[in-house]
């Protein structure tokens, strides 16, 4: 591969396009390409601003390679905190819902870490749902398309042990500040969190108690700045809450618990 397409040229092309880790990216692209022509096409896509993960066809999360299709939200490493906190609360055979699942990355990582669970995933974007099927079907998960809880089977109401949510939390007026990779190549529905960024989080918190078992948990990825708003949404709907943060991952997760009655 690299004999026919000079790697220094690939690195230079990527660096010229603004790729900070051009050498590493060039190596990953060369390993993924099926032919010199394929590599040239992949380099052109990356140099044109497409996220590396969408060009490669996968992203890494919690040690797993998650399949990522063009036009699907790219899993970020910060979501490893969401996975870590969910793993600590999930036992074998638990009923788990990965809501706003995107590629299904969080649900897949949770299933691999915990072992057999009854896993459900849902997203409003049909492109994301198709990608989630690719990552979750082999795990025996059930994947649905629809708007939040409306996507789920009614029989799940009151049965969910752990509900993990990576809903969009970028305030609408800040979307223009996102890097072009996200702004142009990822769906707006996976990024736009409304006026203050937690519009969808509020909707989830409002309905979550009806779907959780007594003592069940809701975990939502958010930002450090928005965490107080997320906590308030939990409190308003009767969920106790705590905040988990990771400086290394630049990540914040709010964890709520439905009270036992």
């Amino acid at each position: 591969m690299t004999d026919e397409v000079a790697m220094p040229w690939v690195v230079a092309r990527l660096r010229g396009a603004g790729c900070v880790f051009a050498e590493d990216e060039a190596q990953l692209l060369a390993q993924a390409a099926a032919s010199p022509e394929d590599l040239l096409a992949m380099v052109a896509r990356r140099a044109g601003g497409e996220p590396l993960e969408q060009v490669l066809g996968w992203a890494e999360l919690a040690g797993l390679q998650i399949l990522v299709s063009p036009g699907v939200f790219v899993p970020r490493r910060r979501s490893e905190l969401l996975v870590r906190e969910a793993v600590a609360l999930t036992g074998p055979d638990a009923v788990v819902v990965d809501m706003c699942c995107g590629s299904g990355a969080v649900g897949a990582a949770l299933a691999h870490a915990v072992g057999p669970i009854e896993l459900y995933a849902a997203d409003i974007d049909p492109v994301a749902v198709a990608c989630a099927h690719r990552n979750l079907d082999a795990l025996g998960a059930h994947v649905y398309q629809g708007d939040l809880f409306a996507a789920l089977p009614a029989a799940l109401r009151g049965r969910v042990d752990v509900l993990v949510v990576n809903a969009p939390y970028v305030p609408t007026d800040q979307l223009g500040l996102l890097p072009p990779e996200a702004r142009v190549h990822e769906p707006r529905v996976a990024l736009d969190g409304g006026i203050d960024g937690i519009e969808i989080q509020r909707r989830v918190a409002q309905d979550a108690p009806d779907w959780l078992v007594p003592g069940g948990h809701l975990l939502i990825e958010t930002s450090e700045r928005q965490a107080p708003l997320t906590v308030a949404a939990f409190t308003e709907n009767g969920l106790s809450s705590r905040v988990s943060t990771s400086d290394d991952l630049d990540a914040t997760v709010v964890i709520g618990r439905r009270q036992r009655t």
Side-chain angles (χ1 to χ4, degrees):
M1 183 74 59
T2 54
D3 290 342
E4 298 183 59
V5 178
M7 290 303 289
W9 177 88
V10 172
V11 171
R13 178 78 187 278
L14 295 175
R15 186 177 291 119
C19 299
V20 177
F21 303 104
E23 291 84 356
D24 294 337
E25 292 194 12
Q27 189 63 38
L28 287 169
L29 291 171
Q31 291 171 355
S35 67
E37 293 76 19
D38 190 29
L39 177 56
L40 289 173
M42 295 171 74
V43 171
R45 289 171 60 192
R46 180 62 181 134
E50 194 168 341
L52 175 66
E53 295 83 358
Q54 291 182 3
V55 176
L56 292 173
W58 59 269
E60 184 174 341
L61 183 71
L64 295 179
Q65 281 195 2
I66 303 296
L67 300 177
V68 178
S69 305
V72 172
F73 179 80
V74 174
R76 269 68 165 178
R77 185 167 176 260
R78 68 171 64 96
S79 292
E80 290 182 7
L81 179 62
L82 181 61
V83 173
R84 185 187 309 161
E85 293 290 349
V87 167
L89 297 169
T90 304
D93 302 317
V95 177
V96 177
V97 173
D98 180 2
M99 184 167 285
C100 304
C101 69
S103 63
V106 172
L110 186 53
H112 278 277
V114 175
I117 57 176
E118 189 176 335
L119 178 61
Y120 299 82
D123 200 287
I124 196 170
D125 181 1
V127 179
V129 169
C131 186
H133 273 292
R134 297 173 62 204
N135 286 302
L136 298 177
D137 283 356
L139 299 174
H142 310 273
V143 183
Y144 302 95
Q145 181 186 342
D147 185 16
L148 301 181
F149 293 97
L152 300 177
L156 272 182
R157 190 181 294 269
R159 290 190 56 231
V160 178
D161 296 299
V162 177
L163 173 60
V164 290
V165 186
N166 187 8
Y169 53 90
V170 179
T172 303
D173 65 1
Q174 294 182 24
L175 291 174
L177 303 178
L178 292 174
E181 286 185 9
R183 193 174 66 247
V184 176
H185 296 281
E186 295 182 287
R188 183 181 177 119
V189 70
L191 303 171
D192 190 348
I195 293 175
D196 60 2
I198 71 156
E199 183 177 298
I200 298 172
Q201 294 181 11
R202 286 193 182 92
R203 291 179 56 203
V204 172
Q206 180 177 356
D207 291 337
D210 291 336
W211 292 80
L212 292 171
V213 299
H217 291 87
L218 166 65
L219 300 91
I220 295 184
E221 180 178 310
T222 190
S223 71
E224 183 177 7
R225 179 175 58 84
Q226 292 162 312
L229 298 176
T230 308
V231 168
F234 280 37
T235 302
E236 289 168 6
N237 292 284
L239 297 168
S240 63
S241 63
R242 62 182 176 89
V243 179
S244 175
T245 61
S246 169
D247 292 336
D248 290 343
L249 297 172
D250 187 25
T252 302
V253 173
V254 177
I255 301 140
R257 182 175 179 270
R258 179 188 168 188
Q259 300 303 310
R260 297 185 185 274
T261 55

